[in-house]
Short mmCIF file of all heavy atoms in Angstrom, two decimals:
data_model
loop_
_atom_site.label_atom_id
_atom_site.label_comp_id
_atom_site.label_asym_id
_atom_site.label_seq_id
_atom_site.Cartn_x
_atom_site.Cartn_y
_atom_site.Cartn_z
N MET S 191 -3.71 85.91 31.76
CA MET S 191 -3.30 85.46 30.43
C MET S 191 -2.61 86.59 29.67
O MET S 191 -3.14 87.68 29.57
CB MET S 191 -4.53 85.02 29.62
CG MET S 191 -5.18 83.77 30.14
SD MET S 191 -4.21 82.31 29.84
CE MET S 191 -5.20 81.51 28.58
N ALA S 192 -1.47 86.31 29.14
CA ALA S 192 -0.79 87.31 28.33
C ALA S 192 -0.06 86.60 27.20
O ALA S 192 0.23 85.41 27.29
CB ALA S 192 0.19 88.11 29.19
N THR S 193 0.21 87.34 26.16
CA THR S 193 0.84 86.77 24.97
C THR S 193 2.33 87.09 24.94
O THR S 193 2.73 88.23 25.17
CB THR S 193 0.15 87.34 23.71
OG1 THR S 193 -1.24 87.05 23.79
CG2 THR S 193 0.72 86.72 22.45
N CYS S 194 3.12 86.09 24.65
CA CYS S 194 4.57 86.25 24.59
C CYS S 194 4.97 87.15 23.43
O CYS S 194 4.51 86.96 22.30
CB CYS S 194 5.23 84.88 24.45
SG CYS S 194 7.01 84.94 24.28
N ASP S 195 5.84 88.13 23.73
CA ASP S 195 6.32 89.05 22.69
C ASP S 195 7.16 88.36 21.63
O ASP S 195 7.27 88.84 20.49
CB ASP S 195 7.18 90.15 23.32
CG ASP S 195 6.35 91.14 24.13
OD1 ASP S 195 5.12 91.06 24.04
OD2 ASP S 195 6.96 91.96 24.84
N VAL S 196 7.80 87.25 22.00
CA VAL S 196 8.74 86.60 21.08
C VAL S 196 8.04 85.58 20.20
O VAL S 196 8.13 85.62 18.98
CB VAL S 196 9.90 85.94 21.86
CG1 VAL S 196 10.79 85.13 20.93
CG2 VAL S 196 10.73 87.02 22.57
N CYS S 197 7.32 84.64 20.80
CA CYS S 197 6.76 83.53 20.02
C CYS S 197 5.26 83.62 19.82
O CYS S 197 4.68 82.87 19.05
CB CYS S 197 7.14 82.20 20.65
SG CYS S 197 6.30 81.89 22.22
N GLY S 198 4.60 84.53 20.54
CA GLY S 198 3.17 84.72 20.34
C GLY S 198 2.28 83.76 21.11
O GLY S 198 1.06 83.78 20.96
N ASN S 199 2.90 82.91 21.93
CA ASN S 199 2.12 81.96 22.72
C ASN S 199 1.36 82.68 23.84
O ASN S 199 1.91 83.56 24.50
CB ASN S 199 3.07 80.91 23.32
CG ASN S 199 2.34 79.83 24.09
OD1 ASN S 199 1.23 79.44 23.74
ND2 ASN S 199 2.97 79.33 25.14
N THR S 200 0.12 82.33 24.02
CA THR S 200 -0.66 82.87 25.13
C THR S 200 -0.65 81.84 26.26
O THR S 200 -1.01 80.68 26.06
CB THR S 200 -2.10 83.15 24.69
OG1 THR S 200 -2.05 84.06 23.59
CG2 THR S 200 -2.90 83.80 25.82
N TYR S 201 -0.22 82.26 27.43
CA TYR S 201 0.06 81.31 28.50
C TYR S 201 -0.34 81.93 29.83
O TYR S 201 -0.08 83.12 30.08
CB TYR S 201 1.57 81.00 28.48
CG TYR S 201 2.04 79.95 29.44
CD1 TYR S 201 1.37 78.75 29.61
CD2 TYR S 201 3.21 80.16 30.17
CE1 TYR S 201 1.84 77.79 30.48
CE2 TYR S 201 3.70 79.19 31.04
CZ TYR S 201 3.01 78.00 31.19
OH TYR S 201 3.49 77.06 32.05
N ASP S 202 -0.97 81.14 30.69
CA ASP S 202 -1.46 81.71 31.95
C ASP S 202 -0.34 81.98 32.96
O ASP S 202 -0.56 82.65 33.96
CB ASP S 202 -2.55 80.82 32.57
CG ASP S 202 -2.05 79.45 32.97
OD1 ASP S 202 -0.91 79.10 32.62
OD2 ASP S 202 -2.80 78.72 33.64
N LYS S 203 0.85 81.47 32.69
CA LYS S 203 1.97 81.74 33.61
C LYS S 203 3.01 82.66 32.95
O LYS S 203 4.18 82.66 33.33
CB LYS S 203 2.63 80.43 34.06
CG LYS S 203 1.70 79.60 34.94
CD LYS S 203 2.32 78.30 35.36
CE LYS S 203 1.34 77.46 36.16
NZ LYS S 203 0.16 77.05 35.36
N SER S 204 2.57 83.42 31.98
CA SER S 204 3.50 84.36 31.36
C SER S 204 3.87 85.44 32.37
O SER S 204 3.18 85.64 33.37
CB SER S 204 2.86 84.98 30.12
OG SER S 204 1.67 85.63 30.47
N PHE S 205 4.96 86.11 32.11
CA PHE S 205 5.47 87.12 33.05
C PHE S 205 6.04 88.29 32.28
O PHE S 205 6.32 88.19 31.09
CB PHE S 205 6.54 86.50 33.97
CG PHE S 205 7.69 85.87 33.23
CD1 PHE S 205 8.83 86.60 32.96
CD2 PHE S 205 7.61 84.55 32.80
CE1 PHE S 205 9.90 86.02 32.27
CE2 PHE S 205 8.66 83.96 32.11
CZ PHE S 205 9.80 84.70 31.84
N THR S 206 6.20 89.40 32.98
CA THR S 206 6.81 90.57 32.35
C THR S 206 8.17 90.81 32.96
O THR S 206 8.41 90.50 34.13
CB THR S 206 5.94 91.84 32.51
OG1 THR S 206 5.72 92.05 33.90
CG2 THR S 206 4.62 91.70 31.80
N LEU S 207 9.05 91.33 32.14
CA LEU S 207 10.40 91.61 32.56
C LEU S 207 10.68 93.08 32.23
O LEU S 207 10.32 93.54 31.16
CB LEU S 207 11.35 90.71 31.76
CG LEU S 207 12.70 90.36 32.35
CD1 LEU S 207 12.52 89.56 33.63
CD2 LEU S 207 13.49 89.53 31.34
N THR S 208 11.32 93.77 33.17
CA THR S 208 11.64 95.18 32.93
C THR S 208 13.14 95.37 33.14
O THR S 208 13.70 94.88 34.11
CB THR S 208 10.86 96.08 33.91
OG1 THR S 208 9.48 95.82 33.74
CG2 THR S 208 11.14 97.54 33.64
N GLN S 209 13.76 96.05 32.19
CA GLN S 209 15.18 96.37 32.32
C GLN S 209 15.33 97.82 31.89
O GLN S 209 15.13 98.14 30.72
CB GLN S 209 16.02 95.45 31.45
CG GLN S 209 17.51 95.70 31.61
CD GLN S 209 18.34 94.87 30.65
OE1 GLN S 209 18.05 94.82 29.46
NE2 GLN S 209 19.36 94.21 31.17
N GLY S 210 15.64 98.69 32.83
CA GLY S 210 15.71 100.11 32.51
C GLY S 210 14.35 100.57 32.01
O GLY S 210 13.34 100.38 32.67
N ASP S 211 14.31 101.16 30.80
CA ASP S 211 13.04 101.67 30.31
C ASP S 211 12.39 100.73 29.30
O ASP S 211 11.45 101.09 28.62
CB ASP S 211 13.20 103.08 29.73
CG ASP S 211 14.26 103.12 28.64
OD1 ASP S 211 14.77 102.04 28.27
OD2 ASP S 211 14.58 104.23 28.18
N ARG S 212 12.91 99.51 29.16
CA ARG S 212 12.20 98.59 28.27
C ARG S 212 11.65 97.42 29.07
O ARG S 212 12.20 97.01 30.09
CB ARG S 212 13.08 98.12 27.12
CG ARG S 212 14.18 97.17 27.48
CD ARG S 212 15.02 96.86 26.24
NE ARG S 212 16.04 95.86 26.61
CZ ARG S 212 16.45 94.90 25.78
NH1 ARG S 212 15.96 94.80 24.58
NH2 ARG S 212 17.36 94.04 26.18
N SER S 213 10.52 96.92 28.61
CA SER S 213 9.94 95.77 29.27
C SER S 213 9.29 94.88 28.22
O SER S 213 9.02 95.30 27.09
CB SER S 213 8.92 96.20 30.33
OG SER S 213 7.81 96.80 29.71
N GLY S 214 9.05 93.64 28.59
CA GLY S 214 8.45 92.69 27.65
C GLY S 214 7.64 91.65 28.39
O GLY S 214 7.79 91.47 29.60
N THR S 215 6.79 90.97 27.65
CA THR S 215 5.97 89.90 28.21
C THR S 215 6.42 88.59 27.58
O THR S 215 6.57 88.50 26.35
CB THR S 215 4.49 90.15 27.88
OG1 THR S 215 4.13 91.43 28.40
CG2 THR S 215 3.60 89.09 28.51
N PHE S 216 6.65 87.59 28.40
CA PHE S 216 7.19 86.32 27.89
C PHE S 216 6.48 85.13 28.52
O PHE S 216 6.02 85.19 29.66
CB PHE S 216 8.69 86.24 28.18
CG PHE S 216 9.44 87.44 27.67
CD1 PHE S 216 9.88 88.42 28.55
CD2 PHE S 216 9.67 87.61 26.32
CE1 PHE S 216 10.54 89.55 28.09
CE2 PHE S 216 10.33 88.74 25.85
CZ PHE S 216 10.77 89.70 26.72
N ASP S 217 6.43 84.03 27.76
CA ASP S 217 5.83 82.81 28.29
C ASP S 217 6.88 81.88 28.88
O ASP S 217 6.56 80.90 29.53
CB ASP S 217 5.05 82.08 27.18
CG ASP S 217 5.97 81.58 26.07
OD1 ASP S 217 7.06 82.15 25.91
OD2 ASP S 217 5.57 80.65 25.35
N SER S 218 8.16 82.16 28.61
CA SER S 218 9.21 81.28 29.10
C SER S 218 10.50 82.08 29.25
O SER S 218 10.67 83.14 28.63
CB SER S 218 9.46 80.14 28.10
OG SER S 218 9.99 80.68 26.89
N PHE S 219 11.41 81.54 30.06
CA PHE S 219 12.70 82.21 30.20
C PHE S 219 13.49 82.15 28.90
O PHE S 219 14.26 83.04 28.59
CB PHE S 219 13.50 81.59 31.36
CG PHE S 219 13.02 82.08 32.69
CD1 PHE S 219 12.15 81.32 33.45
CD2 PHE S 219 13.40 83.33 33.17
CE1 PHE S 219 11.67 81.77 34.67
CE2 PHE S 219 12.92 83.80 34.37
CZ PHE S 219 12.06 83.03 35.13
N GLU S 220 13.28 81.08 28.14
CA GLU S 220 13.98 80.99 26.86
C GLU S 220 13.64 82.19 25.98
O GLU S 220 14.52 82.80 25.36
CB GLU S 220 13.62 79.68 26.17
CG GLU S 220 14.40 79.50 24.88
CD GLU S 220 14.28 78.10 24.31
OE1 GLU S 220 13.49 77.30 24.85
OE2 GLU S 220 14.96 77.83 23.32
N CYS S 221 12.35 82.53 25.90
CA CYS S 221 11.95 83.67 25.09
C CYS S 221 12.46 84.98 25.69
O CYS S 221 12.88 85.88 24.96
CB CYS S 221 10.43 83.71 24.95
SG CYS S 221 9.80 82.41 23.85
N ALA S 222 12.44 85.07 27.02
CA ALA S 222 12.92 86.28 27.68
C ALA S 222 14.41 86.47 27.41
O ALA S 222 14.87 87.57 27.11
CB ALA S 222 12.66 86.19 29.19
N ILE S 223 15.17 85.36 27.47
CA ILE S 223 16.61 85.43 27.20
C ILE S 223 16.84 85.84 25.75
O ILE S 223 17.70 86.68 25.45
CB ILE S 223 17.27 84.07 27.52
CG1 ILE S 223 17.35 83.88 29.04
CG2 ILE S 223 18.66 83.97 26.89
CD1 ILE S 223 17.64 82.46 29.46
N HIS S 224 16.07 85.26 24.85
CA HIS S 224 16.18 85.58 23.43
C HIS S 224 16.03 87.09 23.21
O HIS S 224 16.76 87.70 22.44
CB HIS S 224 15.13 84.81 22.64
CG HIS S 224 15.13 85.10 21.17
ND1 HIS S 224 16.04 84.51 20.32
CD2 HIS S 224 14.37 85.92 20.41
CE1 HIS S 224 15.82 84.96 19.09
NE2 HIS S 224 14.82 85.81 19.11
N ALA S 225 15.09 87.70 23.91
CA ALA S 225 14.79 89.12 23.70
C ALA S 225 15.72 90.04 24.51
O ALA S 225 16.05 91.12 24.05
CB ALA S 225 13.34 89.40 24.08
N PHE S 226 16.14 89.62 25.69
CA PHE S 226 16.80 90.53 26.60
C PHE S 226 18.29 90.30 26.83
O PHE S 226 19.00 91.24 27.14
CB PHE S 226 16.11 90.48 27.98
CG PHE S 226 15.01 91.49 28.13
CD1 PHE S 226 13.88 91.39 27.34
CD2 PHE S 226 15.10 92.52 29.04
CE1 PHE S 226 12.85 92.31 27.47
CE2 PHE S 226 14.07 93.46 29.17
CZ PHE S 226 12.94 93.35 28.38
N ALA S 227 18.74 89.07 26.71
CA ALA S 227 20.13 88.80 27.08
C ALA S 227 21.09 89.46 26.10
O ALA S 227 20.85 89.45 24.89
CB ALA S 227 20.38 87.29 27.11
N PRO S 228 22.15 90.05 26.63
CA PRO S 228 23.16 90.63 25.72
C PRO S 228 23.91 89.53 24.98
O PRO S 228 23.90 88.38 25.41
CB PRO S 228 24.08 91.39 26.68
CG PRO S 228 23.90 90.75 28.00
CD PRO S 228 22.50 90.20 28.04
N ARG S 229 24.55 89.89 23.87
CA ARG S 229 25.34 88.92 23.10
C ARG S 229 26.81 89.26 23.26
O ARG S 229 27.19 90.43 23.27
CB ARG S 229 24.99 89.00 21.62
CG ARG S 229 23.55 88.73 21.33
CD ARG S 229 23.38 87.53 20.41
NE ARG S 229 22.00 87.03 20.54
CZ ARG S 229 21.65 85.77 20.37
NH1 ARG S 229 22.55 84.88 20.08
NH2 ARG S 229 20.40 85.41 20.51
N CYS S 230 27.62 88.23 23.33
CA CYS S 230 29.06 88.43 23.43
C CYS S 230 29.56 89.14 22.17
O CYS S 230 29.24 88.71 21.05
CB CYS S 230 29.76 87.09 23.59
SG CYS S 230 31.56 87.23 23.61
N ALA S 231 30.33 90.20 22.34
CA ALA S 231 30.83 90.96 21.20
C ALA S 231 31.86 90.17 20.41
O ALA S 231 32.17 90.51 19.26
CB ALA S 231 31.44 92.28 21.68
N HIS S 232 32.40 89.11 20.99
CA HIS S 232 33.41 88.33 20.27
C HIS S 232 32.82 87.06 19.64
O HIS S 232 32.93 86.86 18.44
CB HIS S 232 34.56 87.96 21.21
CG HIS S 232 35.63 87.17 20.53
ND1 HIS S 232 36.46 87.72 19.58
CD2 HIS S 232 36.00 85.86 20.64
CE1 HIS S 232 37.29 86.78 19.13
NE2 HIS S 232 37.03 85.65 19.76
N CYS S 233 32.17 86.21 20.42
CA CYS S 233 31.69 84.93 19.88
C CYS S 233 30.19 84.93 19.62
O CYS S 233 29.66 83.96 19.07
CB CYS S 233 32.09 83.78 20.81
SG CYS S 233 31.17 83.74 22.36
N GLU S 234 29.50 85.98 20.03
CA GLU S 234 28.06 86.16 19.77
C GLU S 234 27.17 85.16 20.48
O GLU S 234 26.00 85.01 20.12
CB GLU S 234 27.77 86.15 18.25
CG GLU S 234 28.40 87.36 17.60
CD GLU S 234 28.01 87.51 16.13
OE1 GLU S 234 27.42 86.56 15.58
OE2 GLU S 234 28.27 88.57 15.57
N CYS S 235 27.69 84.48 21.47
CA CYS S 235 26.81 83.60 22.24
C CYS S 235 25.95 84.48 23.15
O CYS S 235 26.27 85.64 23.40
CB CYS S 235 27.61 82.58 23.05
SG CYS S 235 28.46 83.26 24.46
N THR S 236 24.83 83.93 23.60
CA THR S 236 23.95 84.66 24.49
C THR S 236 24.53 84.63 25.89
O THR S 236 24.90 83.58 26.38
CB THR S 236 22.55 84.02 24.50
OG1 THR S 236 22.15 83.82 23.15
CG2 THR S 236 21.55 84.90 25.20
N ILE S 237 24.60 85.78 26.51
CA ILE S 237 25.19 85.85 27.85
C ILE S 237 24.07 85.72 28.88
O ILE S 237 23.26 86.62 29.06
CB ILE S 237 25.95 87.17 28.06
CG1 ILE S 237 27.04 87.30 26.99
CG2 ILE S 237 26.53 87.23 29.46
CD1 ILE S 237 27.66 88.66 26.91
N ILE S 238 24.01 84.57 29.53
CA ILE S 238 22.98 84.38 30.55
C ILE S 238 23.59 84.25 31.94
O ILE S 238 22.89 84.10 32.92
CB ILE S 238 22.07 83.16 30.25
CG1 ILE S 238 22.91 81.90 30.05
CG2 ILE S 238 21.23 83.42 29.02
CD1 ILE S 238 22.05 80.66 29.88
N GLY S 239 24.90 84.34 32.00
CA GLY S 239 25.57 84.42 33.29
C GLY S 239 25.89 85.89 33.55
O GLY S 239 25.28 86.78 32.98
N HIS S 240 26.88 86.14 34.38
CA HIS S 240 27.22 87.52 34.68
C HIS S 240 27.95 88.20 33.52
O HIS S 240 27.74 89.36 33.25
CB HIS S 240 28.10 87.60 35.92
CG HIS S 240 27.34 87.33 37.18
ND1 HIS S 240 27.31 86.09 37.77
CD2 HIS S 240 26.54 88.12 37.93
CE1 HIS S 240 26.52 86.14 38.84
NE2 HIS S 240 26.05 87.36 38.96
N GLY S 241 28.81 87.46 32.84
CA GLY S 241 29.54 88.03 31.72
C GLY S 241 30.43 89.17 32.17
O GLY S 241 30.73 89.31 33.34
N ALA S 242 30.85 89.96 31.23
CA ALA S 242 31.71 91.11 31.52
C ALA S 242 31.34 92.23 30.56
O ALA S 242 30.93 91.98 29.44
CB ALA S 242 33.18 90.71 31.34
N GLU S 243 31.48 93.44 31.04
CA GLU S 243 31.13 94.58 30.21
C GLU S 243 32.32 95.53 30.15
O GLU S 243 32.99 95.78 31.15
CB GLU S 243 29.91 95.30 30.82
CG GLU S 243 29.40 96.44 29.93
CD GLU S 243 28.22 97.17 30.55
OE1 GLU S 243 27.74 96.73 31.63
OE2 GLU S 243 27.80 98.17 29.98
N ASN S 244 32.58 96.03 28.96
CA ASN S 244 33.64 97.02 28.80
C ASN S 244 33.23 97.99 27.72
O ASN S 244 32.95 97.59 26.58
CB ASN S 244 34.96 96.31 28.43
CG ASN S 244 36.10 97.31 28.29
OD1 ASN S 244 36.35 97.81 27.20
ND2 ASN S 244 36.77 97.62 29.38
N ASN S 245 33.18 99.27 28.06
CA ASN S 245 32.85 100.30 27.08
C ASN S 245 31.57 100.04 26.31
O ASN S 245 31.49 100.28 25.11
CB ASN S 245 34.00 100.41 26.08
CG ASN S 245 34.92 101.56 26.43
OD1 ASN S 245 34.47 102.52 27.07
ND2 ASN S 245 36.16 101.46 26.04
N GLY S 246 30.56 99.50 26.97
CA GLY S 246 29.29 99.25 26.29
C GLY S 246 29.24 97.96 25.52
O GLY S 246 28.22 97.62 24.93
N HIS S 247 30.34 97.20 25.48
CA HIS S 247 30.35 95.90 24.83
C HIS S 247 30.29 94.82 25.90
O HIS S 247 30.92 94.95 26.95
CB HIS S 247 31.63 95.70 23.99
CG HIS S 247 31.72 96.64 22.83
ND1 HIS S 247 30.93 96.50 21.71
CD2 HIS S 247 32.48 97.73 22.63
CE1 HIS S 247 31.22 97.48 20.87
NE2 HIS S 247 32.14 98.25 21.39
N PHE S 248 29.53 93.78 25.61
CA PHE S 248 29.42 92.67 26.56
C PHE S 248 30.22 91.48 26.06
O PHE S 248 30.29 91.23 24.86
CB PHE S 248 27.96 92.25 26.71
CG PHE S 248 27.11 93.29 27.39
CD1 PHE S 248 26.41 94.22 26.63
CD2 PHE S 248 27.04 93.33 28.77
CE1 PHE S 248 25.64 95.19 27.25
CE2 PHE S 248 26.26 94.30 29.40
CZ PHE S 248 25.56 95.23 28.65
N TYR S 249 30.82 90.77 26.99
CA TYR S 249 31.56 89.56 26.66
C TYR S 249 31.12 88.44 27.58
O TYR S 249 30.81 88.70 28.75
CB TYR S 249 33.07 89.79 26.82
CG TYR S 249 33.56 90.95 25.98
CD1 TYR S 249 33.70 92.21 26.53
CD2 TYR S 249 33.82 90.77 24.62
CE1 TYR S 249 34.11 93.28 25.74
CE2 TYR S 249 34.23 91.83 23.83
CZ TYR S 249 34.38 93.08 24.40
OH TYR S 249 34.77 94.14 23.63
N CYS S 250 31.10 87.21 27.05
CA CYS S 250 30.66 86.08 27.87
C CYS S 250 31.72 85.70 28.88
O CYS S 250 31.42 85.12 29.91
CB CYS S 250 30.31 84.89 26.98
SG CYS S 250 31.71 84.21 26.07
N CYS S 251 32.97 86.01 28.59
CA CYS S 251 34.05 85.61 29.49
C CYS S 251 35.28 86.48 29.23
O CYS S 251 35.33 87.20 28.22
CB CYS S 251 34.43 84.13 29.27
SG CYS S 251 35.00 83.81 27.58
N ALA S 252 36.25 86.40 30.12
CA ALA S 252 37.46 87.22 29.98
C ALA S 252 38.23 86.86 28.71
O ALA S 252 38.85 87.72 28.09
CB ALA S 252 38.34 87.05 31.22
N HIS S 253 38.18 85.58 28.33
CA HIS S 253 38.87 85.15 27.10
C HIS S 253 38.37 85.96 25.90
O HIS S 253 39.17 86.46 25.12
CB HIS S 253 38.63 83.66 26.88
CG HIS S 253 38.99 83.20 25.50
ND1 HIS S 253 40.27 82.84 25.15
CD2 HIS S 253 38.24 83.08 24.37
CE1 HIS S 253 40.28 82.51 23.87
NE2 HIS S 253 39.08 82.63 23.36
N CYS S 254 37.05 86.08 25.75
CA CYS S 254 36.50 86.81 24.61
C CYS S 254 36.82 88.30 24.71
O CYS S 254 37.10 88.95 23.71
CB CYS S 254 34.99 86.60 24.53
SG CYS S 254 34.55 84.99 23.87
N ALA S 255 36.80 88.84 25.92
CA ALA S 255 37.16 90.25 26.10
C ALA S 255 38.60 90.46 25.66
O ALA S 255 38.92 91.41 24.94
CB ALA S 255 36.98 90.64 27.56
N ARG S 256 39.47 89.53 26.06
CA ARG S 256 40.89 89.63 25.71
C ARG S 256 41.08 89.53 24.20
O ARG S 256 41.85 90.27 23.60
CB ARG S 256 41.67 88.52 26.43
CG ARG S 256 43.00 88.97 26.96
CD ARG S 256 43.62 88.04 28.00
NE ARG S 256 43.24 86.65 27.92
CZ ARG S 256 42.63 86.00 28.89
NH1 ARG S 256 42.32 86.60 30.01
NH2 ARG S 256 42.34 84.73 28.75
N LYS S 257 40.35 88.61 23.57
CA LYS S 257 40.45 88.43 22.13
C LYS S 257 39.99 89.68 21.38
O LYS S 257 40.36 89.91 20.23
CB LYS S 257 39.60 87.23 21.69
CG LYS S 257 40.24 85.90 22.00
CD LYS S 257 41.33 85.61 21.00
CE LYS S 257 42.06 84.31 21.35
NZ LYS S 257 43.23 84.10 20.48
N SER S 258 39.15 90.48 22.02
CA SER S 258 38.68 91.71 21.39
C SER S 258 39.53 92.91 21.79
O SER S 258 39.18 94.05 21.52
CB SER S 258 37.22 91.96 21.78
OG SER S 258 36.40 90.94 21.25
N GLY S 259 40.63 92.64 22.46
CA GLY S 259 41.57 93.69 22.77
C GLY S 259 41.32 94.41 24.09
O GLY S 259 41.91 95.45 24.36
N VAL S 260 40.43 93.86 24.92
CA VAL S 260 40.17 94.48 26.23
C VAL S 260 41.20 93.95 27.22
O VAL S 260 41.40 92.75 27.35
CB VAL S 260 38.74 94.14 26.72
CG1 VAL S 260 38.50 94.75 28.09
CG2 VAL S 260 37.71 94.65 25.72
N ILE S 261 41.85 94.87 27.88
CA ILE S 261 42.88 94.49 28.85
C ILE S 261 42.37 94.72 30.26
O ILE S 261 41.70 95.72 30.52
CB ILE S 261 44.17 95.29 28.60
CG1 ILE S 261 44.71 94.98 27.21
CG2 ILE S 261 45.23 95.00 29.66
CD1 ILE S 261 45.63 96.03 26.64
N GLY S 262 42.64 93.79 31.13
CA GLY S 262 42.32 94.01 32.53
C GLY S 262 41.08 93.30 33.03
O GLY S 262 40.72 93.43 34.18
N LEU S 263 40.41 92.55 32.15
CA LEU S 263 39.29 91.73 32.61
C LEU S 263 39.80 90.30 32.76
O LEU S 263 40.30 89.72 31.81
CB LEU S 263 38.13 91.74 31.60
CG LEU S 263 37.25 92.98 31.58
CD1 LEU S 263 36.21 92.84 30.47
CD2 LEU S 263 36.55 93.17 32.91
N ASP S 264 39.67 89.76 33.94
CA ASP S 264 40.17 88.41 34.16
C ASP S 264 39.14 87.54 34.84
O ASP S 264 38.45 87.98 35.76
CB ASP S 264 41.43 88.45 35.05
CG ASP S 264 42.63 88.99 34.29
OD1 ASP S 264 42.92 88.45 33.21
OD2 ASP S 264 43.23 89.96 34.77
N ASP S 265 39.05 86.29 34.35
CA ASP S 265 38.25 85.30 35.08
C ASP S 265 39.07 84.83 36.26
O ASP S 265 40.30 84.81 36.21
CB ASP S 265 37.94 84.10 34.18
CG ASP S 265 36.83 84.38 33.20
OD1 ASP S 265 35.95 85.18 33.54
OD2 ASP S 265 36.85 83.81 32.10
N ARG S 266 38.40 84.41 37.30
CA ARG S 266 39.11 83.82 38.41
C ARG S 266 39.35 82.35 38.08
O ARG S 266 38.42 81.62 37.79
CB ARG S 266 38.30 83.95 39.69
CG ARG S 266 38.47 85.33 40.29
CD ARG S 266 37.41 85.69 41.31
NE ARG S 266 36.90 84.54 42.02
CZ ARG S 266 36.95 84.43 43.35
NH1 ARG S 266 37.52 85.35 44.07
NH2 ARG S 266 36.43 83.40 43.95
N ILE S 267 40.58 81.93 38.09
CA ILE S 267 40.88 80.54 37.76
C ILE S 267 41.68 79.90 38.88
O ILE S 267 42.31 80.59 39.65
CB ILE S 267 41.64 80.39 36.42
CG1 ILE S 267 42.66 81.53 36.26
CG2 ILE S 267 40.67 80.37 35.27
CD1 ILE S 267 43.52 81.43 35.04
ZN1 ZN P 203 7.55 82.72 23.97
ZN1 ZN P 204 32.25 85.06 24.02
#
């Protein structure tokens, strides 16, 4: 039994997630995504796919990277 860091729910199937030197305990992937997923620097949506990274900024897609002035990131179409 562990308590979710995000919503405070205590759940017997909670899990811990570690990324680099930070970790958290969550009762659901939704809460884990809320706490851990990067946000697109252009549209601010939560990036739960691969996304794209440039200079420490994350983008959900090449379109958003391009809109923010990043050149050379392309989606495969
Ligand atoms: Zn939760
Ligand atoms: Zn975006």
Side-chain angles (χ1 to χ4, degrees):
M191 292 289 251
T193 303
C194 177
D195 288 351
V196 173
C197 70
N199 183 34
T200 302
Y201 185 45
D202 64 351
K203 293 178 184 64
S204 59
F205 56 93
T206 56
L207 205 64
T208 303
Q209 183 185 49
D211 56 6
R212 72 183 184 144
S213 67
T215 303
F216 307 104
D217 65 336
S218 66
F219 282 99
E220 185 168 6
C221 287
I223 287 165
H224 178 80
F226 269 65
R229 301 240 161 210
C230 176
H232 181 69
C233 71
E234 294 187 349
C235 73
T236 311
I237 302 168
I238 54 175
H240 287 96
E243 185 182 355
N244 182 269
N245 262 334
H247 295 287
F248 292 93
Y249 303 97
C250 65
C251 61
H253 165 86
C254 284
R256 220 164 26 241
K257 284 283 176 187
S258 295
V260 178
I261 298 158
L263 283 177
D264 287 306
D265 282 330
R266 279 163 30 122
I267 38 176

